[in-house]
Amino acid sequence: MIMVEPISLTVLATSIVGFVFTTASTTVVQKATEATLEKIKTLADMVKERLKSNPQVVTELEKESDEDKDLETIRFYLESELRQNKDFREDVQRLYDEINQALENEGEGSNIMNVYGGKAYQQNQNKGKIYNADQITINEK
């Protein structure tokens, strides 16, 4: 029997930060249904509410430009909260999975890659396949 390992908390936190708190997913979000948009907003609100007591995270989230945000700081504190609070982790994971499934059903599912601290995390958002790389090779045609 092969056991499928659940998504790691690092990858979950990285994916949420990259999807919810950057403009990188604008194209997908623009094409999402109202129900999916509401779930995305709920996920963002859940995370913001959980991290609002941390002034470093609040400062980063208030920055308008993705280039100015320290996404690693946001990811670090989100991952810490996910590790420390099982109920929060389960709620976030459930909502995250629902959003991914809805996007796939709407035809907007895609591979997402987030790069933090020189490490790349790529996940087929709707299939649960996660690729972790220390090096990325880009072949241009």
Side-chain angles (χ1 to χ4, degrees):
M1 178 179 193
I2 297 175
M3 297 286 292
V4 176
E5 189 163 325
I7 185 171
S8 80
L9 294 181
T10 301
V11 173
L12 177 61
T14 301
S15 296
I16 290 171
V17 169
F19 182 73
V20 177
F21 298 115
T22 68
T23 57
S25 62
T26 302
T27 304
V28 172
V29 171
Q30 287 175 345
K31 296 179 182 178
T33 65
E34 282 298 318
T36 303
L37 289 173
E38 189 59 37
K39 287 180 181 184
I40 293 169
K41 182 183 179 318
T42 300
L43 179 59
D45 291 345
M46 283 173 61
V47 171
K48 286 178 184 176
E49 179 65 26
R50 177 62 73 174
L51 300 178
K52 75 179 183 183
S53 64
N54 185 308
Q56 286 179 288
V57 173
V58 171
T59 299
E60 295 308 320
L61 290 175
E62 289 174 347
K63 295 178 180 176
E64 289 188 32
S65 169
D66 289 349
E67 291 82 30
D68 293 338
K69 289 179 185 172
D70 182 354
L71 299 176
E72 181 59 24
T73 295
I74 301 168
R75 188 218 49 86
F76 176 81
Y77 287 107
L78 174 57
E79 182 179 347
S80 177
E81 285 296 322
L82 292 169
R83 285 189 192 288
Q84 293 176 27
N85 188 309
K86 182 182 179 198
D87 291 337
F88 175 65
R89 177 177 61 244
E90 289 173 352
D91 290 345
V92 165
Q93 180 72 57
R94 178 189 45 76
L95 191 53
Y96 180 77
D97 291 342
E98 287 176 15
I99 291 167
N100 285 324
Q101 186 60 53
L103 290 173
E104 182 173 279
N105 292 344
E106 295 163 16
E108 299 303 327
S110 63
N111 287 324
I112 304 265
M113 183 180 335
N114 296 292
V115 180
Y116 291 112
K119 273 206 175 267
Y121 299 93
Q122 180 172 340
Q123 178 182 11
N124 180 308
Q125 291 291 293
N126 308 298
K127 306 277 188 275
K129 296 178 183 172
I130 300 168
Y131 306 95
N132 189 350
D134 290 322
Q135 182 178 353
I136 301 171
T137 303
I138 300 173
N139 297 317
E140 294 187 30
K141 293 183 180 183

